[in-house]
Amino acid sequence: MIDVQEVTLHHLDMKLVTPFQSSIETVSKRESILIEVRNRSGQIGWGEVVAFSSPWYTEETIGTCHHMLKSFLIPELLAKPFQDPEAFIDSFSYIRRNQMAKAAIEGAVWDLHAKLEEKPLAAILGGTAKQIDSGVVIGLASMEHMLETIGKHVSDGYKRIKIKIKPGSDAALLDEIRSHFPDIPLMADANSAYTLDDISLLKQLDEYNLLMIEQPLAHDDIIDHAVLQSQLKTPICLDESIITLNDAKKAIQLGSCGVINIKPGRVGGLFESIKIHDYCMQHNVPVWVGGMLETGVSRAHNIALASLPNFTIPGDISASARYWEEDIISPPVTVNNGKIDVPAGPGLGFEVNRSKLAKYCTHIERFTK
Ligand SMILES: O=C(O)CCC(=O)C1=CC=C[C@@H](O)[C@@H]1C(=O)O
Ligand SMILES: [Mg+2]
């Protein structure tokens, strides 16, 4: 029984070890909100708001999530006990969208639920893998810097390299990367930087033996992506366009993609993530877990999710040290020979380190029954 007595929001401000540049935005400082839920006997679950400070990736921001949590989701959670996470999810199913706000509080409830069941979150979600393959993302930077960073990550053992592309920084960049690294598992993410007018350029990218091209066209499109996919050999992976299971069904039926990137924050939580995973598995569409430059709390949720069987492609789950001088979980996430161990302890299997949390916390808000 999930009987939450108190919810605490920890507002954090952390600096990335290096700025992260995509086709739209450069992120150097990361605001986030950690959600701590506590039941009557003092057991705790953790979740994380992964929205960015401004609405460049999806329409949500830290501010919109805070509003949704405070005004709707936290009151819902404190209103009554719930049999399980699904019953809590049902209670807010009337709320349209606001996926990252929902995912954050749902994540905390899943962690608490797994701890009450004394099982690892991965097992509760249906995961079976003991280790997951780790991929890493390299933001846009000078050619020299990107080549050097790729070399470093390849020698660190990462199983897949993702680079960001945008018009003017695409075919020539991939050409240069392939001349140095002809065989590495490589993919490119455009964050919607192209349109169908760029089709001849996008077809050139078939030359580079990419695992996939992520979200080349508009963030809310699946129709143009189907046109593009019919003319590309390289599979398209959808990220921003998939917000729900229904989106995934339609994209697969239309042939808009060959792969889907599942980010629990973007799709409204772990429960919807599992539904998308299962549907994709039934339709032979491989999936992988995306990242949001997040702290260890969300990273831990992602590791648990990635242990499900259709996550056959290494995701954007890299070591804590890729982004943080010090993560706020103990131990930090580490990658060995390109693999991350799925924790065997109850819940997330990582502890939130209170003294590190205090270092990066700007303020706390507490809500009680
Ligand atoms: O968390 C990571 O390691 C990588 C995250 C990452 O590549 C992204 C996070 C958020 C927005 C984008 O720029 C990009 C993506 O689109 O997947
Ligand atoms: Mg993406």
Side-chain angles (χ1 to χ4, degrees), residues 57 162 164 187-192 214-215 237-240 261 263 266 288 290-291 316:
Y57 170 69
K162 163 167 144 185
K164 293 289 190 182
M187 60 174 287
D189 184 3
N191 290 108
S192 304
E214 186 176 344
Q215 198 71 37
C237 169
L238 289 177
D239 174 356
E240 285 90 329
N261 158 351
K263 294 183 185 176
R266 195 195 66 232
W288 51 278
D316 290 348

Side-chain angles (χ1 to χ4, degrees), residues 6 9 102 117 239 266 276:
E6 183 183 86
L9 300 183
K102 291 175 181 169
E117 298 283 309
D239 174 356
R266 195 195 66 232
I276 297 174

